[in-house]
């Protein structure tokens, strides 16, 4: 290439020449070829300058992306630096480009080991033979490590012996041999062997790293810290040494040293995934789940097949309470590392927390079967069996857990509680006291306090709470528990004082504020509760529970919907990631039939929280209300994908089909709900109703029998049989079925159904006998007494109905429905006190049209038509579809002399024709006008 112009003598010319030369270099006139850059990289590697080598290799690949050796060398450097994900990509590309090299095979095997993909590693490489001795030694070393992790020590020793025969100087193999020695003979044998290796390889960082690990295992943490620092002196990019050092410093509580170690890690490997992994883990342990989640999401994008990352992601979601997401990540982690027990245990605990004990056992079974289950496996299995009602098996597992780990307070506590449950109360309580005295945690203390409270031994419970407070001074838990005990004893002042002490210890401790609120409401001082929550918001303006509590209290006080919507909208803005205010806002707008606003709020909620099944459900409901069935179906299907083990999405889809009068599709959805949960009673009930409506009585009976056979101890199958026979007016069979159900579950709803069926069967004597026996055994069953009042009211036995409702009020003075009914009956009997009861019912449950209707009627009978009209107008506005309320309004207008207003209301009712049962009375009133 010829240069036509040469600039001489001027600074301008010199600068121009510099720019020109730079431009030429950028166009490649003076640049090295990819092959030259590769050679330069190799030269840097010989000088152990890996950073410079990486730069040259990347430059070479920019020039020729298919340079296989450059891919291989870059992958090898990335693997040595701990960037497993990057190494996998580059080494994989080298193989795809045809790079045939034994060292590549050994490195690919090592990447699978580091990603915890042990099954794939053994399947692909256990029988591989390499020609070159050193790569073959490296491969055998990797295999030995995996076999050791799998517990196959004999195979591990065989592999490492072969590695050392192939390459006696292989230091990595020597270190694995030391690890195997530690596994069989402990650190006492392993450390001298390691010292022998380090005496010959004093600057081998991995040797110092292993020394740090062995010393840490032996509890010699300060010496371990020194060893890890020595490892980092020789290799600043040793990720395991960084991790070990940070872990020990964090445990030690040396914040300054931890911060420096973290800064050194960042300086050496600023973008290393392991650094982000450590940061995410630390954030999770400190309770900063938002930061933890942000970091792990980045890791998931870069290394979705890394079992460690999937496990950490699952652990974070578990702590967030996002069980479905936790299950997804942990299932992936278990697929990648099926023999990693901590993954299996956490996945099982995820199922247990979701109430899916059978699933938890399925996850744990392989570990239980292999004869190598540890204490955590046995403890989780015991919890699952407890939930399934298998007390004997649960106790057996707990005993094995305690045997393996006698210091495990959690398992020992569960075993003590099991003893109490089996009637060995004194033994169990003594065990709990012993554990509490030995353990700094609160698990045994809480179990002891709970057991003493159940036994009614309040004084001893308070003593146990005092002991807990010594462990946790200036914490809210002990005073909170003390308040609960005092409340049970009826000591209101002491209880309030204890709850206030809990709130003083933690000004945003919601359980204490909630308990004080209950006391305030009982004292008819809700304004105190509101002020308390407002004070809590001064400390933490984004406290969602406090915000929602204020909304609830305002609603109970009769606040207008507009005020509540304003409060909820503010809460959503302050806490865009919180579910409760968004869901409450949508529900309130939907209730007010503000469908456009509800739709916008639901869509905004789903955009902010796309993985919330509750918001997807609400979005579908709003779309149903707006008539957009297709979009509603999409929302409910999304809900189903988020809750694969829940029948509720299919119930919503069935509801959608029923609204569209597609009974066949609805039936299929109910069946899908039952495929998810075979004993789900609402789906059985709905499917039964469809079959009855279609006249398929034999099919309905078959369905009931299937449920009874599947779950013979489930009372629901017999209750459904009773419902079916009652609908067919086959009262003797209904009575028999309800009795069978009641024998398995003595609950009020079943007692009511049985009593009603006995009366319908003409067996009044049996009904009276059953009623007397039920009331004798359960004198405070207010729901049954209320039912008896309703029965008397239907028979027009007003005196008996009044007596029943008044009995309910003795048990539940603040029962709004009982107050309303007593008010109406007193009015009908022309007895005093009706107004007070009606006003109380409306105060307890404001904006309820039936209660307002009663109050208006009482005002009208007293000649207070202005008050009657004001209340009744509001009732009609709230429930325009309840035409009887409008008829009452028309009557009050007439009695008040407002004929034109009465005529307007009667005209609306007349347009209904025979659809309105009181049509004749409407015509009569119009005639009077």
């Amino acid at each position: 290439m010829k240069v036509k112009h040469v600039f001489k003598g001027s600074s301008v010319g010199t600068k121009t020449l510099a720019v020109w030369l730079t431009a030429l270099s950028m166009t490649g006139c003076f640049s090295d070829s990819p092959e030259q850059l590769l050679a330069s990289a190799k030269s840097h590697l010989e000088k152990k300058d890996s950073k410079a080598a990486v730069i040259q290799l990347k430059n070479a690949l920019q020039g020729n992306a298919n340079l296989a050796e450059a891919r291989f060398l870059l992958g090898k450097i990335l693997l040595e630096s701990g960037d497993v994900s990057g190494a996998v990509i580059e080494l994989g590309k080298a193989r795809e480009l045809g790079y045939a090299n034994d060292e590549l095979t050994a490195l690919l095997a090592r990447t699978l080991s580091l990603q915890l993909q042990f099954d794939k590693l053994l399947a692909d490489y256990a029988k591989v033979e390499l020609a070159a001795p050193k790569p073959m030694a490296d491969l055998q070393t990797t295999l030995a490590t995996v076999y050791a992790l799998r517990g196959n020590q004999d195979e591990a020793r065989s592999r490492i012996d072969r590695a050392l025969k192939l390459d006696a100087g292989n230091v990595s193999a020597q270190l694995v041999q030391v690890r195997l020695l530690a596994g069989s003979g402990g650190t006492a044998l392993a450390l001298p062997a390691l010292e022998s290796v380090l005496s010959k390889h004093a600057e081998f960082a991995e040797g110092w790293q292993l020394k740090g690990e062995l010393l840490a295992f032996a509890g010699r943490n300060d010496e371990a810290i020194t060893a890890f620092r020595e490892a980092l002196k020789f290799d600043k990019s040793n990720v395991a040494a960084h991790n070990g050092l940070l872990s020990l410093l964090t445990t030690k509580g040396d914040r300054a040293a931890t911060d420096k170690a973290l800064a050194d890690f960042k300086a050496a490997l600023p973008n290393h995934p392991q650094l982000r992994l450590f940061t995410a883990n630390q954030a999770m342990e400190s309770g900063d789940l938002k930061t933890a989640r942000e970091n792990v999401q980045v890791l998931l994008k870069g290394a979705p097949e890394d079992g460690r990352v999937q496990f950490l992601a699952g652990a974070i979601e578990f702590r967030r309470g996002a069980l479905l997401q936790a299950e997804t990540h942990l299932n992936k982690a278990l697929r990648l590392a099926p023999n990693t027990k901590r993954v299996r245990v956490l996945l099982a605990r995820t199922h247990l927390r979701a109430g899916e004990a059978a699933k938890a056992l399925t996850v744990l079974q392989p570990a239980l079967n292999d004869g190598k289950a540890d204490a955590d496996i046995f403890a989780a299995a015991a919890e699952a069996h407890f939930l399934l009602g298998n007390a004997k098996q649960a106790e057996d597992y707990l005993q094995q857990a305690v045997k393996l780990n006698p210091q495990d307070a959690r398992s020992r506590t569960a075993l003590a509680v099991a003893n109490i449950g089996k009637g060995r109360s004194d033994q169990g309580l003594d065990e709990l006291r012993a554990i509490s005295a030995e353990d700094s945690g609160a698990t045994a203390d809480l179990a002891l306090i709970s057991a003493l409270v159940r036994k009614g031994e309040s004084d001893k419970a308070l003593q146990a709470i005092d002991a807990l407070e010594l462990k946790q001074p200036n914490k809210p838990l002990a005073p909170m528990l003390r308040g609960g005990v005092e409340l049970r004893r009826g000591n209101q002042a002491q209880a309030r004082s204890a709850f206030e002490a809990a709130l003083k210890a933690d000004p945003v401790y919601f359980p204490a504020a909630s308990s004080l609120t209950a006391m305030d409401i009982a004292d008819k001082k809700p304004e105190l509760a509101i002020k308390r929550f407002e004070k809590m918001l001064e400390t933490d303006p984004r406290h969602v529970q406090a915000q929602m509590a204020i909304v609830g209290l305002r609603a109970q006080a009769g606040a207008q919907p507009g005020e509540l919507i304003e409060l909820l909208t503010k809460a959503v803005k302050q806490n865009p990631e919180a579910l409760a205010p968004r869901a409450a806002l949508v529900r309130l707008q939907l209730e007010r039939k503000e469908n456009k606003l509800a739709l916008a709020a639901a869509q905004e909620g789903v955009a902010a929280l796309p993985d919330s099944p509750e918001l997807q459900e609400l979005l579908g409901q709003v779309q149903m209300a707006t008539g957009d069935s297709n979009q509603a179906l999409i929302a409910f299907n999304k809900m189903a994908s988020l809750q694969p083990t829940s029948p509720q999405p299919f119930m919503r889809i069935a509801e959608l089909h029923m609204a569209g009068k597609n009974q066949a599709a609805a039936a299929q959805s109910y069946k899908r709900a039952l495929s998810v949960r075979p004993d789900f009673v609402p789906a059985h009930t709905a499917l039964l109703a469809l079959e009855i409506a279609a006249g398929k009585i034999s099919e309905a009976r078959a369905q009931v029998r299937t449920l009874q056979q599947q779950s013979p101890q489930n009372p629901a199958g017999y209750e459904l049989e009773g419902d079916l026979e009652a609908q067919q007016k086959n009262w003797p069979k209904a009575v028999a079925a309800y009795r069978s159900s009641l024998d398995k579950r003595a609950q009020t709803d079943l007692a009511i159904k049985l009593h009603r069926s006995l009366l319908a069967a003409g067996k009044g004597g049996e009904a009276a006998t059953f009623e007397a026996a039920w009331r004798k055994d359960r004198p405070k069953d207010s729901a049954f007494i209320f039912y008896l009042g309703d029965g008397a009211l239907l028979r027009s036995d007003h005196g008996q109905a009044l007596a029943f409702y008044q009995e309910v009020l003795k048990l539940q003075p603040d029962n709004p429905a009982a107050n309303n009914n007593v008010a109406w009956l007193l009015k009908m009997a022309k007895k005093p006190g009706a107004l007070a009861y009606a006003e109380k019912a409306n105060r307890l449950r404001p904006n309820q049209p039936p209660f307002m209707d009663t109050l208006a009627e009482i005002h009208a009978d007293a000649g207070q038509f202005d008050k009657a009209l004001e209340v009744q107008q509001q009732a009609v506005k709230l429930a325009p579809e309840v035409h009887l309320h409008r008829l009452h309004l028309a009557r009050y207008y007439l009695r008040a002399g407002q004929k034109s207003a009465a005529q307007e209301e009667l005209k609306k009712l007349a347009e209904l024709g025979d659809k309105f049962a009181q049509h004749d009375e409407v015509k009569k009133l119009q005639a009077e006008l």
Side-chain angles (χ1 to χ4, degrees):
M1 181 176 181
K2 294 182 180 179
V3 179
K4 294 182 179 179
H5 301 284
V6 177
F7 297 89
K8 298 179 181 178
S10 74
S11 62
V12 175
T14 304
K15 288 179 182 177
T16 306
L17 178 61
V19 172
W20 180 72
L21 289 171
T22 301
L24 284 178
S25 69
M26 290 176 66
T27 59
C29 290
F30 294 114
S31 64
D32 293 331
S33 69
E35 290 73 16
Q36 289 172 317
L37 291 167
L38 174 60
S40 173
K42 289 180 179 180
S43 174
H44 285 302
L45 285 174
E46 288 174 4
K47 298 172 185 175
K48 297 187 178 180
D49 188 353
S50 59
K51 287 185 179 180
V54 167
I55 293 171
Q56 295 296 72
L57 289 169
K58 288 183 177 179
N59 287 335
L61 289 169
Q62 273 190 336
N64 181 3
N66 295 324
L67 201 58
E69 188 179 6
R71 294 283 181 194
F72 164 73
L73 290 174
L74 181 57
K76 181 180 178 181
I77 296 170
L78 291 174
L79 187 61
E80 288 171 351
S81 71
D83 184 358
V84 181
S85 302
V88 168
I89 293 170
E90 296 302 333
L91 294 173
K93 287 181 179 178
R95 181 171 57 183
E96 290 170 8
L97 292 168
Y99 189 76
N101 180 291
D102 284 352
E103 190 179 1
L104 172 61
T105 302
L107 292 176
L108 286 168
R110 198 192 309 172
T111 63
L112 289 175
S113 172
L114 292 170
Q115 289 180 303
L116 306 183
Q117 295 187 45
F118 299 150
D119 285 340
K120 182 172 176 55
L121 169 63
L122 294 179
D124 292 353
Y125 293 97
K127 297 179 180 179
V128 167
E129 293 291 332
L130 302 178
K134 288 191 175 182
M136 187 61 182
D138 286 341
L139 176 58
Q140 294 303 310
T141 301
T142 298
L143 291 167
T145 302
V146 173
Y147 280 119
L149 289 171
R150 284 283 177 92
N152 190 342
Q153 301 299 318
D154 290 340
E155 184 66 26
R157 277 190 286 271
S158 172
R159 296 282 180 167
I160 210 64
D161 287 345
R162 187 179 178 194
L164 289 170
K165 284 180 182 176
L166 289 165
D167 183 7
N170 189 315
V171 187
S172 295
Q174 293 175 37
L175 293 184
V176 173
Q177 190 175 49
V178 170
R179 289 184 187 276
L180 290 172
L181 188 59
S184 60
T187 55
L189 293 177
L191 280 169
L194 178 59
E195 292 293 355
S196 175
V197 175
L198 286 173
S199 66
K200 300 170 188 172
H201 306 279
E203 296 185 2
F204 189 55
E206 287 183 30
W208 287 103
Q209 168 209 321
L210 176 55
K211 184 175 181 179
E213 291 169 0
L214 293 174
L215 289 167
F217 183 79
R220 294 156 63 179
N221 290 353
D222 287 340
E223 294 175 70
I225 288 170
T226 301
F228 285 132
R229 283 175 170 155
E230 196 72 11
L232 292 171
K233 182 174 79 174
F234 297 116
D235 181 6
K236 289 182 172 58
S237 63
N238 186 309
V239 177
H242 280 296
N243 277 337
L245 179 60
L246 281 166
S247 179
L248 289 176
L249 291 174
T250 302
T251 303
K252 189 177 180 180
D254 190 337
R255 182 63 182 271
T258 303
D259 290 344
K260 183 182 183 307
L262 191 59
D264 290 343
F265 195 169
K266 289 178 180 177
L269 302 161
N271 299 311
H272 197 281
Q274 192 65 39
L275 177 62
R276 194 177 288 277
L277 194 70
F278 179 84
T279 303
N281 191 69
Q282 288 295 98
M284 179 185 74
E285 293 300 336
S286 66
D288 185 0
L289 299 181
K290 184 174 183 293
T291 299
R293 195 166 188 263
E294 288 172 354
N295 277 280
V296 87
Q297 289 300 319
V298 175
L299 289 167
L300 285 168
K301 289 178 182 176
E305 295 301 308
D306 190 319
R308 299 167 304 164
V309 176
Q310 291 290 351
F311 173 74
L312 181 58
I316 292 167
E317 297 300 343
F318 179 82
R319 295 202 185 191
R320 288 179 66 237
L323 300 183
L324 183 64
Q325 291 94 319
E327 181 183 349
T328 301
H329 289 302
L330 292 170
N331 272 321
K332 288 179 181 177
L334 193 61
R335 173 177 58 78
L336 293 166
N339 291 291
T340 307
K341 288 176 184 174
R342 63 173 185 164
V343 177
R344 200 172 287 280
V345 168
L346 187 56
L347 179 56
R349 295 215 170 275
T350 302
H351 289 313
L352 289 170
R353 195 165 164 188
E356 296 172 335
K359 274 190 171 183
L361 279 178
T362 301
V363 170
L364 294 168
Q365 206 60 54
L368 292 167
N369 291 342
D370 68 7
K372 297 172 183 176
D374 60 15
D376 289 336
I377 294 285
F378 283 125
E383 187 175 341
H385 278 294
F386 268 128
L387 289 175
L388 291 170
N390 306 327
K392 177 65 173 66
Q393 183 65 71
E395 189 173 348
D396 289 345
Y397 279 143
L398 279 174
Q399 287 172 344
Q400 292 186 65
V402 172
K403 184 178 179 181
L404 287 169
N405 184 5
Q407 304 306 314
D408 180 22
R410 180 172 180 167
S411 297
R412 292 171 64 201
T413 298
L415 201 54
V417 171
N419 283 330
I420 294 171
K422 293 172 71 175
R424 298 194 289 264
S425 180
D426 291 342
Q427 178 186 343
L429 290 172
D430 288 343
E431 288 168 351
L432 289 175
R433 290 188 182 98
I435 299 166
S436 170
E438 298 168 7
D439 182 36
S440 60
T443 304
D445 298 82
L446 293 174
L448 175 62
I449 293 162
S450 176
L452 291 169
V453 168
R454 283 198 304 273
K455 286 188 69 180
E457 298 183 5
S458 299
D459 290 337
K460 291 182 179 179
L462 289 171
Q463 291 173 7
I465 291 170
D466 290 340
L468 173 62
E469 194 163 31
L470 291 175
K471 288 184 180 181
Q472 297 184 343
N474 304 317
K475 298 288 184 182
L477 181 57
M480 180 69 203
L481 294 171
R482 187 177 293 113
V485 173
E486 295 293 3
L487 203 58
R488 290 171 68 96
R489 299 170 83 183
N491 298 332
Q492 299 285 322
Q494 291 92 326
R496 182 176 285 276
S497 177
F499 293 140
E500 287 173 348
L503 206 55
K504 184 177 180 182
D506 184 353
V508 293
Y509 189 60
F510 186 79
S514 180
S515 296
L516 287 167
T517 296
M519 298 181 76
D520 291 336
I521 292 172
D523 293 340
K524 306 193 186 321
K525 296 178 180 179
E527 67 281 357
L528 292 180
I530 292 173
K531 287 180 181 177
R532 186 179 300 106
F533 285 121
E534 287 175 343
K535 186 176 180 181
M536 190 178 286
L537 288 174
E538 290 176 9
T539 304
D540 180 4
R542 300 180 67 236
H543 198 298
V544 178
Q545 289 173 300
Q547 291 172 328
M548 296 305 295
I550 290 173
V551 172
L553 289 166
R554 295 285 188 203
Q556 288 179 24
Q560 292 300 309
E563 179 187 348
L564 302 179
I565 286 174
E566 185 179 342
L567 287 170
L568 289 168
T569 302
K570 181 180 178 182
V572 168
K573 287 181 179 177
Q574 288 181 312
N575 298 281
E577 293 185 356
L579 170 63
R582 288 188 182 278
L585 178 61
V586 175
R587 288 194 185 98
L588 183 55
Q589 290 170 330
L590 195 56
E591 184 182 313
R592 297 187 71 197
K593 301 191 183 330
E594 296 175 345
N595 293 341
K596 287 186 178 180
L597 292 174
L599 180 60
Q603 288 172 333
E604 184 183 323
V606 166
L609 301 168
D611 293 332
S612 166
E614 186 172 351
L615 284 174
Q616 292 289 349
E617 181 178 20
L618 283 169
L619 176 60
Q621 288 178 275
V622 175
Q623 289 164 334
M624 275 185 68
T626 59
D628 195 344
S629 299
N630 291 333
Q631 289 301 314
L633 183 60
I634 291 171
F636 292 144
N637 278 322
K638 174 66 174 176
M639 176 189 172
S641 70
L642 293 169
Q643 291 182 310
T645 60
S646 170
Q648 188 59 29
F650 303 112
M651 297 299 288
R652 286 297 184 194
I653 293 171
E655 183 184 338
L656 181 65
H657 290 313
M658 288 297 291
K661 303 190 184 307
N662 189 344
Q663 283 84 355
Q668 289 303 312
S669 293
Y670 290 134
K671 288 175 181 176
R672 288 187 70 188
L674 291 172
S675 71
V676 172
R677 192 181 299 174
D679 61 348
F680 189 59
V681 176
H684 278 291
T685 304
L687 198 54
L688 211 61
L690 282 178
E691 288 170 341
I692 291 170
K696 299 178 180 179
I697 306 304
S698 59
E699 287 89 339
R701 289 195 172 106
Q703 181 198 336
V704 167
R705 283 194 297 273
T706 299
L707 176 59
Q708 291 172 349
Q709 290 166 1
Q710 286 175 341
S711 307
Q713 297 306 312
N714 187 345
Y718 303 93
E719 182 180 3
L720 283 174
E721 182 185 1
D723 293 344
L724 172 59
E725 299 302 344
Q727 198 275 340
Q728 296 298 303
K729 301 191 185 306
N730 191 344
W731 298 113
K733 286 189 176 181
V735 167
Y738 286 137
R739 283 195 191 279
S740 295
S741 185
L742 200 61
D743 287 342
K744 294 173 175 58
R745 184 191 66 185
Q747 288 195 350
T748 303
D749 57 339
L750 286 169
I752 290 171
K753 287 181 177 182
L754 176 57
H755 187 268
R756 187 182 290 132
S757 298
L758 286 167
L759 290 173
K763 298 182 178 182
E766 284 189 43
T769 301
F770 173 76
E771 176 187 326
W774 186 268
R775 294 202 61 195
K776 181 182 177 182
D777 293 340
R778 300 165 183 80
K780 295 184 179 181
D781 188 345
S782 58
F784 190 79
I785 301 168
F786 195 100
Y787 151 75
L788 295 175
D790 287 349
L793 196 60
L794 286 171
R795 299 192 305 271
S796 297
D797 188 348
H798 288 185
Q800 185 64 69
L802 180 60
F804 281 131
Y805 291 133
Q806 286 175 329
E807 191 175 346
V808 170
L809 289 178
K810 287 180 183 177
L811 297 168
Q812 295 180 328
D814 291 338
N815 185 310
N819 275 283
N820 178 74
N821 292 1
V822 166
W824 187 82
L825 288 166
L826 288 173
K827 180 199 79 72
M828 295 298 290
K830 300 189 183 304
K831 291 182 178 180
L835 180 61
Y837 282 105
E839 288 178 334
K840 184 175 182 179
N842 280 272
R843 188 168 59 252
L844 289 167
R845 191 73 61 81
N847 300 320
Q848 296 298 309
F851 299 169
M852 299 167 78
D853 185 69
T854 301
L855 179 60
E857 192 172 349
I858 293 170
H859 282 313
D861 281 3
Q864 297 177 328
F865 295 115
D866 288 347
K867 290 184 178 180
L869 288 169
E870 182 184 352
V871 174
Q872 196 68 20
Q873 286 167 352
Q874 189 64 22
V876 170
K877 183 179 179 181
L878 288 169
E881 72 284 355
V882 182
H883 307 303
L884 189 60
H885 295 339
R886 193 178 298 279
L887 178 60
H888 291 170
L889 179 60
R891 286 177 185 164
Y892 303 153
Y893 277 132
L894 278 172
R895 292 172 66 184
Q898 299 182 31
K899 293 185 178 182
S900 60
Q903 182 66 53
E904 186 178 340
E905 300 301 334
L906 290 170
K907 182 181 178 183
K908 293 176 183 176
L909 292 170
E911 291 172 354
L912 297 170
D914 294 337
K915 294 178 183 178
F916 182 42
Q918 280 76 28
H919 181 61
D920 290 341
E921 186 176 352
V922 172
K923 288 165 62 176
K924 180 182 176 183
L925 290 173
Q926 283 182 317
E928 289 178 9
L929 284 171

